Amino acid sequence: MLFNKAKKMSRGLILFWLTVSMSPLWAQTPCSGIDRDLGLSPEQIVRMKENISPQVFSTDLEILNVFKEQGGSVLSINPNKAEPAYLFFSSDLLTSHYVGLWAGAYGEMTRSELVVAFQKEAAGIPENLAQCVAWFLTDRGKLTGVFSSMESHPDTADILGDEMIISQAEGAKYWVVFQHAEGAVIQPYVAPVKVDSATGHFSFHLPEPMASWGEFHGRSTEEDELIGTFDNGYSVKLPRKASFWQ
């Protein structure tokens, strides 16, 4: 349910505090101008956790993402390595109770539908804040899927190109299955993916014997392609489409 007024969550929730720094602003997106930083001292963070943890029946707290504007705040939390939940606050994070909670499915909802739902279920949420969170949940989250440039050469039947399958597991963590072909196809390699929550850019490092390629740095484009480069200079441009093997 979207930002319902529920005051209780499962007592089994176990959340962990994320210490990775968050970029304060996003550029050229609906989140432009939205503060991504808690803006709290270590002592204040402890007080915030002491305030919020009992509300979600948790003894430890992980904040995945922060969205703040005009006195409103939305915190994305990771409940017990499950799908992220979103808490909406209309006042001080150190002393107030959340006024809305959302942990529902949104796969079939458009950004505009989410904005309307947020504004209905969390009265007073700033327009820009609702737009940012809705964009974060829909358009920004297109990293998962199959991206492939693999094809069979029409004359030699050699297989050329690359394929990446990006999925999520273990509480919204990303993984990639990478396969490369230059006539012969190498075996697929699996690696964890690091995603910059502020920009959507991502990186991963393949295991041996592909480790010599170095780290891959990539992003998805407005054309729904995945582009990026390994440290060794090898670059890819992979459209989203069905796997070569289908």
Side-chain angles (χ1 to χ4, degrees):
M1 295 298 177
L2 299 170
F3 286 115
N4 58 63
K5 299 299 188 288
K7 298 300 183 181
K8 295 183 179 180
M9 295 176 69
S10 169
R11 293 181 182 273
L13 294 180
I14 302 177
L15 311 174
F16 302 90
W17 168 248
L18 183 67
T19 57
V20 177
S21 62
M22 298 180 181
S23 174
L25 298 176
W26 290 357
Q28 307 304 318
T29 75
C31 286
S32 297
I34 299 297
D35 194 350
R36 301 299 315 288
D37 194 335
L38 277 171
L40 301 176
S41 68
E43 293 77 13
Q44 289 174 318
I45 289 174
V46 171
R47 290 174 54 194
M48 180 197 71
K49 294 169 67 175
E50 290 175 346
N51 175 48
I52 298 176
S53 293
Q55 299 179 34
V56 294
F57 302 98
S58 174
T59 57
D60 226 341
L61 193 66
E62 179 182 14
I63 307 297
L64 300 177
N65 286 286
V66 179
F67 311 86
K68 295 169 58 181
E69 188 191 47
Q70 299 177 14
S73 302
V74 178
L75 301 184
S76 170
I77 64 175
N78 185 6
N80 200 26
K81 295 185 178 181
E83 292 299 318
Y86 292 78
L87 302 178
F88 175 73
F89 293 82
S90 59
S91 55
D92 184 16
L93 293 174
L94 277 63
T95 59
S96 65
H97 198 289
Y98 68 82
V99 297
L101 180 150
W102 174 59
Y106 58 90
E108 301 300 321
M109 299 184 70
T110 65
R111 189 201 306 176
S112 60
E113 289 172 336
L114 279 172
V115 170
V116 171
F118 293 163
Q119 293 174 328
K120 177 181 179 181
E121 301 297 333
I125 182 174
E127 170 74 21
N128 290 346
L129 190 57
Q131 291 282 355
C132 171
V133 177
W135 173 79
F136 181 86
L137 292 172
T138 54
D139 300 340
R140 188 208 66 93
K142 300 302 183 184
L143 180 59
T144 57
V146 179
F147 301 85
S148 181
S149 64
M150 275 192 180
E151 59 184 4
S152 179
H153 192 282
D155 297 326
T156 66
D158 289 342
I159 300 176
L160 307 170
D162 303 275
E163 185 164 295
M164 293 186 189
I165 302 174
I166 300 179
S167 61
Q168 281 185 288
E170 296 182 356
K173 292 180 175 62
Y174 289 90
W175 292 82
V176 63
V177 178
F178 175 78
Q179 195 168 27
H180 173 71
E182 294 183 31
V185 185
I186 68 170
Q187 72 178 62
Y189 291 91
V190 180
V193 178
K194 299 177 183 178
V195 180
D196 185 327
S197 61
T199 65
H201 294 192
F202 67 96
S203 62
F204 61 83
H205 202 293
L206 295 172
E208 295 290 354
M210 298 291 292
S212 62
W213 284 33
E215 192 168 43
F216 178 84
H217 301 271
R219 65 181 178 87
S220 56
T221 71
E222 293 182 358
E223 291 74 32
D224 209 19
E225 295 176 323
L226 188 154
I227 62 174
T229 306
F230 287 90
D231 287 341
N232 69 351
Y234 184 76
S235 61
V236 301
K237 183 178 182 180
L238 311 178
R240 182 192 296 275
K241 64 179 184 180
S243 171
F244 172 80
W245 307 106
Q246 290 182 272

